[in-house]
Amino acid sequence: MFLKKQFGCDYTIALAGNPNVGKTSIFNNLTGMHQHTGNWPGKTVSNAYGMCEHNGKNYLLVDLPGTYSLMSNSAEEEIARNYICFGNADICVVVVDATCLERNLNLVFQVLEMTPNVIVCVNLLDEAKKKSIEIDLDKLSKLLKVPVVGTIANKPKTLKKLLEVIHSTLTDSKKDTSSVSLPITYDKKVEDYINVLEGDIKDILPSTKKYLSRWIALKMLDENSSINDALKSNLNIDLQNDVYIQEKIDKIKSDLENENLSLSSLRDKIVFNIMAKAEEIRKETCTFADSKYNLKTRKIDKILTSKKFGIPIMLVFLAVIFWITITGANYPSRLLSDFFGFIQDKLLILFDNLHVPSFWTNILIYRYVSDCYLGCVCYASAYGNLLPVIYFA
Ligand SMILES: Nc1nc2c(ncn2[C@@H]2O[C@H](COP(=O)(O)OP(=O)(O)O)[C@@H](O)[C@H]2O)c(=O)[nH]1
Ligand SMILES: [Mg+2]
């Protein structure tokens, strides 16, 4: 409400999504602004605001930081999560990368649990076409139970379609936002515990935020402490000190203990359900013209991220990086030294033959050439020292 008044607009549209899926490109092309686009994660760390007009209505677009999840494990995730949950946007457009839909669906599921008005924007369709990936957008829309639009960020025609879908979703008077059916159902045990908590949470929430009850229940099962702080500061609700809800959480914990389980085992079930659903939807909606496409990368991914090989491979990489930093860097350093020594000798002979005064020989050869050498070595060693930092980042 506050933002709408401040910017004098009719509707607020949030743009959420993984990093590098084209949120800022869509934002810039729709608003005519020039926010930086880039191709590394975590670049957009605050919300950017811009206006655009369509069908006589003014829209305020909010470009949220790119995140892979909304668990609030980082500043970006917290900013995006708080805006989606408490920012009162009229629509949240989740931008996904058409070339890797499955990975992006994790965030789509999370946003669907947080807000009722969601549109999924499948961007980078041109890149998907290059890789012979076809996505059945209608089927995706049916499976996700929300409108889906395909876009190419720099093609105005596709963005116009996006605005049309936003407009029709906003003016769809028949839409019931109080109980939207979600595409994902968790393991029976998880669903049972959500039901145990959801009623009480719903009673505490203000009428405009009842929708959040299921997601909050899920986060409580996930022992996500930052949700309490967010609820306190945005809705003035303190679940941590709510006796009824804490009693129920304790009961759930003791039930689980009796079965030799814990809340973290529920978390594993939740993650497994999300991954399985994402894979199922990708299989039903994406077709690869080349059936072997991605096969090699997937195989490598499976090995590199497996429990068995992931950590040993990481340790080997780290050992190699430390070796390069401590010992390996000496080899190029020696080569550089030989190279500049060779140039220095040749120049000394040349200057001698030309009878250049020793003053200039000192400045131009002894100082300048050795400075070049030192510069190269410093640059190489600084880069070498940065390698472990780059790896960890
Ligand atoms: N080919 C192609 N490139 C795109 C498209 N959308 C964005 N990009 C490029 O993808 C990169 C990341 O885009 P950006 O808007 O910064 O993504 P963000 O991190 O989600 O905000 C930039 O180099 C864009 O030019 C698209 O639809 N097609
Ligand atoms: Mg961006």
Side-chain angles (χ1 to χ4, degrees), residues 38-52:
N39 52 4
W40 64 90
K43 211 186 67 57
T44 315
V45 289
S46 59
N47 297 339
Y49 301 94
M51 301 278 290
C52 85

Side-chain angles (χ1 to χ4, degrees), residues 338-351 365:
D338 292 347
F339 173 69
F340 282 103
F342 171 78
I343 291 187
Q344 185 168 318
D345 291 345
K346 295 286 169 212
L347 285 175
L348 277 174
I349 295 168
L350 179 73
F351 275 40
I365 299 183

Side-chain angles (χ1 to χ4, degrees), residues 18-25 37-38 44 123-124 126-127 151-153:
N18 288 182
N20 276 325
V21 293
K23 296 178 299 298
T24 306
S25 305
T37 55
T44 315
N123 191 41
L124 288 136
D126 54 337
E127 289 297 320
T151 56
I152 298 167

Side-chain angles (χ1 to χ4, degrees), residues 184-200:
I184 197 159
T185 311
Y186 297 103
D187 190 272
K188 180 164 181 324
K189 200 175 260 315
V190 177
E191 288 292 339
D192 287 349
Y193 289 142
I194 290 175
N195 286 337
V196 168
L197 296 170
E198 202 183 346
D200 285 332

Side-chain angles (χ1 to χ4, degrees), residues 145-181:
K145 301 169 187 172
V146 292
V148 172
V149 194
T151 56
I152 298 167
N154 60 3
K155 288 260 155 61
K157 221 167 123 185
T158 62
L159 296 187
K160 197 168 169 235
K161 179 88 202 310
L162 173 65
L163 285 175
E164 273 160 17
V165 174
I166 289 174
H167 179 80
S168 60
T169 308
L170 285 166
T171 48
D172 181 2
S173 53
K174 281 180 246 139
K175 196 166 189 269
D176 173 18
T177 56
S178 60
S179 61
V180 178
S181 55

